[in-house]
Amino acid sequence: MSTTTTTTTTTNTGDFDDYEPTINNLLEKDTLKWIFVGGKGGVGKTTTSCSIAIQLAKVKESVLLISTDPAHNLSDAFGQKFTKHPSLVNGFPNLFCMEIDPTPDHDAPEFINKQNGGGLMDFQELAMSIPGVDEAMSFAEVMKLVQDMKFSVIVFDTAPTGHTLRLLSIPSLLDKGIAKFMDNNLSGLFSTFGNVVGSEHSPEQINSKISSIKKTIEEVNIQFKNPDVTTFVPVCIPEFLSLYETERLIQQLTKLDMDVQNIIVNQIVYPENECGLCHARSKMQKKYIDQMADLYMDFHVTKMPLLKAEIRGVPSLTIFSELLTVPYDPSKPVVLPTENQ
Ligand SMILES: Nc1ncnc2c1ncn2[C@@H]1O[C@H](COP(=O)(O)OP(=O)(O)OP(=O)(O)O)[C@@H](O)[C@H]1O
Ligand SMILES: [Mg+2]
Ligand SMILES: [Zn+2]
């Protein structure tokens, strides 16, 4: 055995210990406030974010799970109707869910207008003249509102990748946009939009509203970029397209200065018998799991098994969620309550 080999082995063992294949690092981190769960359509974002939230609820005072996917499916996963206000998940004393739509032409403006005692609608039409300002405003306002609610930690079940990335990159884009906007002659703009804004808003009022939005967005931005406070958890499945998209997602998040420490690899097939289909799928998946092991040595990569049934309802989600903290042992297959019926 050469010295070099010994050294390498020691280092690798050390690294491996640092990145155990669970989400325990997230559960243990007291400063963590925002957890975004994202990935390609159908890989298991909702199932994973519900499971992360269930595990967090065991160790944190209060947890809020928010769906920002217009195709809300927290209600489906928990089998309980949620609204745009936080409501307790049945069976939990401290786990809340809400479903919001960050696109301003849906739920959000009403939300904002209420908070501002009305009058913002006119302003919003003016603000629409800056691309992205409307959506970013709704998103930032929602984050601000949620922040004021004083939950220990907030988990986001996001829309499929493209939409989420756009939303997350708006704060920095907008920061520049608003700076430009403020540099412009506001009275000139004011006369252009005078009809929209109406006589009750002076340029000073508009200016101060823009400043306050800018402040909110800056605050959101600072939090997003702080790895002690915010982290993004990509969810993927062991297939070519998903691996490729995860790699791109991580690169884009890195560009946005967003922290990524955990990756969830979902729907892994563990053949239980000689079934040819399961073995073929498993062999195909293994190729990508091995690639991920090489690519993501510096991440906590958590492998989740493909179960025989859909994972819906608190009992099933709770069983599944345990596998985020204690690695799955294929010799002890998971039995979901629904499978017993
Ligand atoms: N490991 C798993 N084993 C068995 N079923 C699973 C697993 N992960 C997810 N599912 C099921 O697959 C379906 C899709 O999962 P989920 O809704 O979590 O995906 P998603 O990424 O949120 O989808 P969308 O992009 O449509 O929001 C659900 O019916 C869920 O119960
Ligand atoms: Mg979903
Ligand atoms: Zn099979």
Side-chain angles (χ1 to χ4, degrees):
M1 195 195 286
S2 76
T3 327
T4 323
T5 315
T6 315
T7 315
T8 313
T9 311
T10 314
T11 314
N12 281 346
T13 312
D15 282 349
F16 187 77
D17 287 345
D18 286 347
Y19 300 102
E20 65 162 277
T22 68
I23 62 152
N24 294 338
N25 61 310
L26 301 181
L27 303 180
E28 287 160 8
K29 198 164 179 171
D30 290 335
T31 55
L32 205 56
K33 182 87 184 176
W34 311 100
I35 302 176
F36 289 88
V37 179
K40 217 161 94 73
V43 293
K45 294 179 294 297
T46 301
T47 309
T48 302
S49 49
C50 292
S51 302
I52 291 176
I54 288 173
Q55 286 303 313
L56 284 166
K58 285 174 148 188
V59 294
K60 304 276 176 176
E61 204 173 301
S62 60
V63 179
L64 176 64
L65 174 57
I66 303 182
S67 164
T68 59
D69 184 349
H72 299 311
N73 24 42
L74 294 181
S75 295
D76 292 332
F78 280 114
Q80 185 183 338
K81 187 73 199 120
F82 299 114
T83 65
K84 58 185 170 183
H85 304 287
S87 36
L88 262 180
V89 178
N90 294 333
F92 292 87
N94 64 340
L95 174 57
F96 298 78
C97 277
M98 68 191 257
E99 296 185 330
I100 53 143
D101 195 332
T103 321
D105 39 322
H106 295 99
D107 301 5
E110 200 192 322
F111 212 31
I112 291 167
N113 282 331
K114 265 192 211 138
Q115 289 300 314
N116 289 277
L120 194 61
M121 207 57 202
D122 294 338
F123 169 71
Q124 202 165 14
E125 286 176 51
L126 167 70
M128 294 278 232
S129 60
I130 312 170
V133 79
D134 48 348
E135 196 169 12
M137 226 165 76
S138 321
F139 189 50
E141 287 289 338
V142 164
M143 282 191 73
K144 206 174 146 190
L145 275 181
V146 164
Q147 188 163 24
D148 292 343
M149 293 173 184
K150 303 272 180 265
F151 287 97
S152 316
V153 58
I154 296 119
V155 181
F156 285 89
D157 173 23
T158 71
T161 318
H163 187 263
T164 301
L165 273 174
R166 198 162 58 83
L167 206 63
L168 293 179
S169 54
I170 286 172
S172 11
L173 287 177
L174 195 68
D175 219 16
K176 292 170 200 148
I178 287 186
K180 234 186 199 167
F181 190 91
M182 307 241 338
D183 286 346
N184 281 331
N185 183 343
L186 270 175
S187 54
L189 268 168
F190 186 61
S191 62
T192 311
F193 293 96
N195 293 339
V196 174
V197 175
S199 53
E200 78 235 56
H201 297 296
S202 68
E204 288 72 31
Q205 281 175 309
I206 292 175
N207 204 339
S208 97
K209 268 182 182 165
I210 291 178
S211 298
S212 108
I213 289 169
K214 187 167 153 54
K215 196 167 156 265
T216 303
I217 286 168
E218 274 168 2
E219 282 166 13
V220 166
N221 233 342
I222 289 167
Q223 297 211 27
F224 273 10
K225 290 172 194 236
N226 183 348
D228 291 332
V229 178
T230 306
T231 198
F232 195 106
V233 180
V235 182
C236 63
I237 55 175
E239 288 180 14
F240 177 79
L241 276 180
S242 184
L243 175 56
Y244 178 79
E245 190 170 302
T246 302
E247 185 50 22
R248 271 193 36 181
L249 172 64
I250 292 174
Q251 281 173 13
Q252 281 167 301
L253 290 168
T254 307
K255 259 191 220 155
L256 293 170
D257 290 328
M258 262 204 133
D259 173 70
V260 181
Q261 293 179 14
N262 295 71
I263 297 170
I264 310 294
V265 188
N266 190 26
Q267 302 185 17
I268 299 180
V269 175
Y270 293 97
E272 285 177 11
N273 49 38
E274 289 315 304
C275 169
L277 177 64
C278 286
H279 279 274
R281 295 291 297 180
S282 170
K283 196 177 157 201
M284 178 276 293
Q285 290 191 340
K286 194 173 176 308
K287 193 168 85 189
Y288 298 108
I289 293 168
D290 288 346
Q291 283 185 25
M292 284 183 200
D294 285 345
L295 211 49
Y296 302 123
M297 270 186 343
D298 301 340
F299 295 82
H300 298 271
V301 179
T302 306
K303 297 194 269 179
M304 301 297 278
L306 176 69
L307 303 186
K308 287 175 190 161
E310 289 180 304
I311 306 161
R312 294 171 73 183
V314 171
S316 294
L317 283 165
T318 303
I319 292 171
F320 187 71
S321 76
E322 299 291 338
L323 303 173
L324 289 169
T325 65
V326 181
Y328 177 61
D329 177 356
S331 71
K332 295 176 193 136
V334 169
V335 181
L336 295 179
T338 45
E339 288 178 70
N340 294 333
Q341 288 167 11

